[in-house]
Amino acid sequence: MRTIYLDNAASTWPKPPEVSRAVAKCIDEYAANPGRGGHKLSLKASKAVYQARVRLARLFNVKNPNDIFFTVNATHALNQAIKGFVKAGDHVITTSLEHNSVRRPLEFLRKEAGVQITYIKPENHQFSLDAITSAIQTNTTMIVVSHASNLLGTIAPVKEIGLIARETGITYLVDASQTAGILPLDVEEMKIDMLAFPGHKGLYGPQGTGGLYVRSSVELTPLLHGGTGSHSEEIDQPMTRPDRYESGTLNTPGIVGLSAGVDFVLKTGVETIRQKEWTLTQLLLDKLSKVEGVRVFGPDKDIERVGVVPFMLEGVDASELAYILDQEYNIAVRSGFHCTPLAHETAGTSDTGAVRVSFGYFNEEEDIDALIKALQEIKEAFVI
């Protein structure tokens, strides 16, 4: 039975075939330590890593590729951005749809350093720019926003928020975990000072990859200290980018795979990828509305969201439903609380969790048909 994979918000699968080929070629031919040696293999590895920066810079309209730092995932990137910038007594504005990768570092700083936090709650899945402006205090140093919710699919107005941040001199951090490679991202046009992104989702790279863009005017305290391959004679961490934020050996094969994934996105086109996922999302929302006992959460079907659809089937526990779909129908979905209790509070699903379907570029309409058929059969079996 063919696996129907509908958990792309966690990690995209399958990957474009060129990704695994690039990883294998790197391991077999030149997986030496980049930036650590002057021999041919090390130089080739360094060149491949830099090419990945260049491709990412092209995708996000970053002027200097060396302002992009590689991390092991978006969580690592967000921790570096938040803990490396926010100081004791600062005030941070964020939203009630944030992933724990934003919430937990902030709450840690609240307890450890007296950092103040304001959570802005959207109304009917729309963010009030006035509410954000009104929340600004004299000690507000950062606004951090998820470009799109990993639970509800709600898309934040990142450009408009960026303009507020730039006009008020507040550093702006965007979590692009659900949008990098899926929605257009332009750090210049959107006035983004820091952009955190995973490699293994919409960029179609391997797991264990991610990155952080930091505008050249923004200085962070490094999260990690150690060997950088440069300025080894100095006691302190070097100031040179990207070395300052990339202590230790990089995941060269993973970054090479990520580079191939970004190349796939660039060649396919972000707009093409977005349109396919939006078409599938609208189709699923329409078909779910016709299944008795299904309750869907998130924006109405005529309001744009990313390819994420959470729902519940009356009378069936979310975890049990996901288990049945997996074991009996070979349909992979995600259930539970999706590492975002704030968003579940906003959605009113804190007590139950939800089942989440999330699309990728390689899903097709027949995947939706199979899911709807399975839900109909499960509904009948539970005599709803």
Side-chain angles (χ1 to χ4, degrees):
M1 182 185 296
R2 180 177 72 90
T3 296
I4 297 173
Y5 186 79
L6 297 171
D7 192 22
N8 291 277
S11 280
T12 50
W13 185 85
K15 308 294 185 183
E18 50 265 42
V19 171
S20 58
R21 289 198 297 263
V23 172
K25 183 176 181 180
C26 175
I27 291 173
D28 292 342
E29 297 182 10
Y30 62 95
N33 225 324
R36 301 300 196 271
H39 54 78
K40 291 191 292 291
L41 292 184
S42 178
L43 293 174
K44 187 172 183 179
S46 296
K47 183 178 179 180
V49 169
Y50 184 71
Q51 183 182 47
R53 293 190 215 276
V54 170
R55 285 173 172 167
L56 286 162
R58 179 182 166 195
L59 182 65
F60 301 139
N61 191 27
V62 170
K63 293 180 178 179
N64 184 355
N66 285 326
D67 285 336
I68 296 173
F69 319 135
F70 288 113
T71 61
V72 298
N73 46 45
T75 299
H76 180 185
L78 287 163
N79 271 262
Q80 171 62 83
I82 294 169
K83 294 178 180 178
F85 184 84
V86 179
K87 303 295 189 293
D90 284 355
H91 172 243
V92 178
I93 298 171
T94 188
T95 83
S96 65
L97 297 184
E98 300 307 307
H99 191 276
N100 277 341
S101 298
V102 169
R103 185 189 192 188
R104 284 178 172 171
L106 288 177
E107 292 293 342
F108 170 82
L109 291 175
R110 186 206 294 269
K111 294 175 183 176
E112 295 294 318
V115 169
Q116 297 174 294
I117 311 167
T118 298
Y119 292 99
I120 303 296
K121 183 178 180 179
E123 298 295 334
N124 298 320
H125 304 282
Q126 300 291 321
F127 285 95
S128 167
L129 298 178
D130 288 339
I132 293 172
T133 301
S134 298
I136 295 174
Q137 303 174 178
T138 56
N139 61 333
T140 304
T141 59
M142 175 182 280
I143 297 174
V144 51
V145 174
S146 288
H147 194 179
S149 167
N150 73 310
L151 173 68
L152 301 173
T154 305
I155 300 172
V158 292
K159 181 179 178 179
E160 291 78 6
I161 297 172
L163 289 171
I164 293 172
R166 186 60 55 87
E167 289 172 357
T168 53
I170 298 170
T171 297
Y172 185 35
L173 167 62
V174 173
D175 176 6
S177 292
Q178 297 301 325
T179 58
I182 298 167
L183 295 181
L185 274 162
D186 185 321
V187 298
E188 294 299 324
E189 181 183 0
M190 297 174 172
K191 313 302 182 187
I192 296 170
D193 295 305
M194 292 191 281
L195 182 75
F197 58 90
H200 62 104
K201 297 185 183 183
L203 299 180
Y204 291 94
Q207 294 171 339
T209 60
L212 177 68
Y213 157 72
V214 180
R215 189 174 297 279
S216 59
S217 59
V218 177
E219 176 59 31
L220 304 178
T221 299
L223 195 64
L224 299 176
H225 296 77
T228 57
S230 65
H231 304 279
S232 296
E233 70 284 0
E234 297 178 4
I235 295 175
D236 297 322
Q237 198 77 356
M239 296 299 295
T240 306
R241 294 187 175 198
D243 301 16
R244 182 168 176 75
Y245 304 103
E246 291 183 345
S247 291
T249 300
L250 291 174
N251 175 12
T252 307
I255 292 170
V256 168
L258 169 58
S259 184
V262 174
D263 191 46
F264 166 80
V265 171
L266 289 168
K267 290 177 177 177
T268 305
V270 172
E271 293 293 348
T272 299
I273 293 171
R274 167 59 181 159
Q275 187 55 52
K276 182 172 184 181
E277 291 192 13
W278 177 229
T279 298
L280 291 174
T281 302
Q282 288 177 301
L283 180 62
L284 175 61
L285 290 170
D286 180 62
K287 293 198 173 188
L288 283 175
S289 69
K290 299 172 183 175
V291 179
E292 185 180 354
V294 166
R295 183 185 177 193
V296 177
F297 304 93
D300 293 337
K301 65 179 181 179
D302 57 338
I303 298 176
E304 280 204 69
R305 65 163 90 188
V306 291
V308 171
V309 179
F311 68 92
M312 289 290 293
L313 182 60
E314 184 183 352
V316 186
D317 177 78
S319 296
E320 185 174 9
L321 178 56
Y323 179 82
I324 295 170
L325 287 171
D326 179 46
Q327 295 296 309
E328 300 298 327
Y329 297 93
N330 219 27
I331 300 174
V333 297
R334 170 85 182 269
S335 68
F337 296 93
H338 312 88
C339 299
T340 182
L342 276 173
H344 277 283
E345 290 173 17
T346 302
T349 53
S350 295
D351 295 333
T352 61
V355 173
R356 182 188 70 187
V357 168
S358 51
F359 294 112
Y361 183 71
F362 297 106
N363 285 119
E364 302 294 345
E365 290 186 16
E366 62 191 54
D367 298 337
I368 295 174
D369 294 336
L371 173 65
I372 296 300
K373 182 175 184 293
L375 291 175
Q376 292 280 14
E377 292 180 1
I378 295 168
K379 177 176 71 73
E380 293 172 4
F382 277 76
V383 195
I384 296 175

